[in-house]
Amino acid sequence: MNFDEAQQLERSYLLTLYTPIRMPMVIARGEGARLWDTEGKEYLDFVSGGRAVTGLGHCHPKVAAAIRHQADTLLHVSNDFYTEPQLRLGERLSKLFGGRSFFCNSGAEAVEGAIKLARKHGYKTSGPEKHEIVTALSSFHGRTFAALAATGQPKYHKGFQPLPPGFSYIPFNDVEALRAAVTERTCAVLLEPILGESGVYPATPEFLGAAREACDENGAAFVLDEVQTGLGRTGKMFAYQHYDVEPDVIALAKALGGGVPIGAVVAREPVASAFEPGDHASTFGGGPLPAAAALAALDAIEEEGLVENAARVGEQLAQGLRAIQEKTSLVSEVRGRGLMIGVDLARPVAGRVKEQCAARGLLINTVGERMLRLLPPLVLSEEQAERGLGVLGEVLGSAATE
Ligand code: PLP
């Protein structure tokens, strides 16, 4: 299938949701940090499958073997039954974060689950008044209704109101606004430790510290959305570990299944105990296939030292980008942590830069027309990082003189 055929089929048979963001190729195959399209062209994937999912690279052998084995053994039974992969995955996440898990199928569902848990905790400790949730402007938490209400970007709300009530938004990294917004009616503060979709803006230590303090003072749950930042991407297993804070709840998804859809709410006490039997559920959540894939993904992250690799190669990329910045005034800022990097451009040419990188075999992401976003897989080698930097240097250099 070529790109024209794909576009025709999409127009006829798919709801029109992704058309403007589709890249001009049809992807057929992947291995590690590389993808191939149906014409046989090879790409270096600096977006981990597009949205920071394939942290282990494409078709990691350990994940693929676990999926094959599980497919031959037991694909699915629901949560009416115990299955070992789900229980072992809960044990594994508890060793990494503490607490206990609920499994679902996506990032938005993990955020929904965390919101319901925080609401129930507020209800149990203080009654129905304690239901307000404070989130950040420019945040992104997903597209289902409560996750959408939590997302502090009016452009995503438009046309879908009324949204679930009880959400308020503060400017990201504004400590005073946060202190003023959190009251005894607040059941949760929900934040990304690094704004992802809005362009890789890390929280300041003061902001996350103030959020923890305000939650403690008001009996609210401190919830971190680590859907994009979690599981090694930032050079630590969880992004909050760059800070001197401990959340009560984290939401995980994206990289958790090594490419297979799975999300998790991981909650510590006392918040974890707010859920009682029947309060929340998912038919597919934590089924044997995604749970086995996630266990294999966590094995690979740990056994292959991928968190450390993300820190090392991320630093190499950031330094290389700063070297490019010194040579061209088109790059105005480079920021991020580990393999989550934002590059601000002085002129609105991000779309063109992305196209020209793809033509040279490098896939990158953009945020609006003035920002590039790099989210390569944690398995990225130093040689691949150099290759990507070479393409970016050429493309940004020539875009600067156009
Ligand atoms: N939370 C964050 C921080 C995200 O970046 C995303 C997706 O980009 C989501 C939640 C939603 O995840 P999903 O698309 O799997 O529902």
Side-chain angles (χ1 to χ4, degrees):
M1 181 182 292
N2 63 30
F3 184 57
D4 287 342
E5 285 172 282
Q7 283 187 305
Q8 269 173 28
L9 286 166
E10 179 183 45
R11 270 195 296 274
S12 301
Y13 300 118
L14 303 187
L15 291 176
T16 9
L17 292 168
Y18 300 116
T19 316
I21 61 161
R22 298 269 200 205
M23 298 289 287
M25 75 280 285
V26 180
I27 297 297
R29 192 164 68 84
E31 188 186 318
R34 296 178 300 163
L35 284 169
W36 287 265
D37 69 17
T38 47
E39 323 256 287
K41 183 173 163 71
E42 181 180 324
Y43 301 89
L44 192 51
D45 177 3
F46 269 29
V47 288
S48 293
R51 300 277 151 170
V53 166
T54 51
L56 292 178
H58 297 281
C59 305
H60 191 286
K62 285 194 181 107
V63 177
I67 292 170
R68 272 194 298 272
H69 173 74
Q70 197 58 48
D72 284 337
T73 313
L74 178 70
L75 268 180
H76 174 75
V77 290
S78 74
N79 290 297
D80 295 331
F81 303 92
Y82 289 120
T83 55
E84 188 163 350
Q86 179 184 107
L87 297 160
R88 294 283 174 223
L89 183 59
E91 179 181 47
R92 195 68 177 270
L93 290 178
S94 187
K95 280 192 183 132
L96 288 172
F97 177 70
R100 293 179 284 140
S101 291
F102 161 76
F103 295 110
C104 52
N105 311 286
S106 68
E109 275 183 65
V111 171
E112 292 274 340
I115 289 169
K116 280 185 73 178
L117 178 63
R119 281 259 166 99
K120 187 73 196 296
H121 179 249
Y123 180 85
K124 274 178 95 171
T125 54
S126 311
E129 302 279 283
K130 194 171 184 63
H131 65 266
E132 291 178 2
I133 294 169
V134 175
T135 78
L137 288 168
S138 302
S139 60
F140 186 84
H141 298 291
R143 307 290 197 128
T144 56
F145 268 101
L148 187 60
T151 293
Q153 300 193 58
K155 70 176 182 197
Y156 291 124
H157 295 177
K158 197 168 165 232
F160 298 106
Q161 280 105 343
L163 298 177
F167 291 83
S168 65
Y169 314 98
I170 51 162
F172 194 65
N173 281 340
D174 185 333
V175 169
E176 286 318 307
L178 184 136
R179 287 202 182 114
V182 181
T183 70
E184 75 242 10
R185 293 168 63 91
T186 305
C187 72
V189 174
L190 165 63
L191 297 170
E192 290 163 88
I194 302 177
L195 291 181
E197 292 302 297
S198 287
V200 194
Y201 293 99
T204 59
E206 294 74 24
F207 187 59
L208 289 195
R212 177 70 273 177
E213 222 172 84
C215 285
D216 288 342
E217 282 163 11
N218 292 281
F222 182 30
V223 183
L224 286 179
D225 179 345
E226 292 251 14
V227 166
Q228 186 163 151
T229 52
L231 304 162
R233 171 140 308 277
T234 67
K236 300 260 188 200
M237 185 56 89
F238 303 112
Y240 79 81
Q241 293 167 327
H242 291 286
Y243 300 86
D244 189 20
V245 294
E246 294 289 334
D248 298 304
V249 181
I250 53 174
L252 300 175
K254 291 201 190 274
L256 181 58
V260 172
I262 179 169
V265 180
V266 197
R268 293 171 172 162
E269 297 300 342
V271 180
S273 291
F275 266 167
E276 290 165 277
D279 274 348
H280 197 50
S282 165
T283 293
F284 284 114
L289 182 80
L295 280 167
L298 289 171
D299 281 346
I301 290 173
E302 287 176 6
E303 287 164 13
E304 295 170 23
L306 296 181
V307 181
E308 298 73 20
N309 193 63
R312 192 174 52 246
V313 181
E315 188 48 38
Q316 179 193 345
L317 273 181
Q319 276 181 18
L321 288 162
R322 290 199 181 99
I324 294 172
Q325 182 182 8
E326 275 168 27
K327 289 196 206 123
T328 161
S329 57
L330 182 58
V331 176
S332 53
E333 188 177 66
V334 177
R335 62 175 175 274
R337 283 187 194 276
L339 289 171
M340 187 169 178
I341 300 176
V343 179
D344 282 352
L345 303 180
R347 286 191 290 113
V349 293
R352 207 141 37 94
V353 168
K354 176 171 141 175
E355 265 170 38
Q356 288 171 7
C357 283
R360 287 169 163 80
L362 177 71
L363 302 176
I364 62 166
N365 214 321
T366 55
V367 179
E369 270 301 315
R370 284 182 179 267
M371 203 186 298
L372 311 179
R373 196 163 54 129
L374 309 181
L375 302 158
L378 316 190
V379 294
L380 194 76
S381 68
E382 288 173 16
E383 185 273 321
Q384 288 169 326
E386 273 320 305
R387 203 140 41 90
L389 284 168
V391 174
L392 281 162
E394 269 174 41
V395 171
L396 288 165
S398 66
T401 56
E402 272 166 20

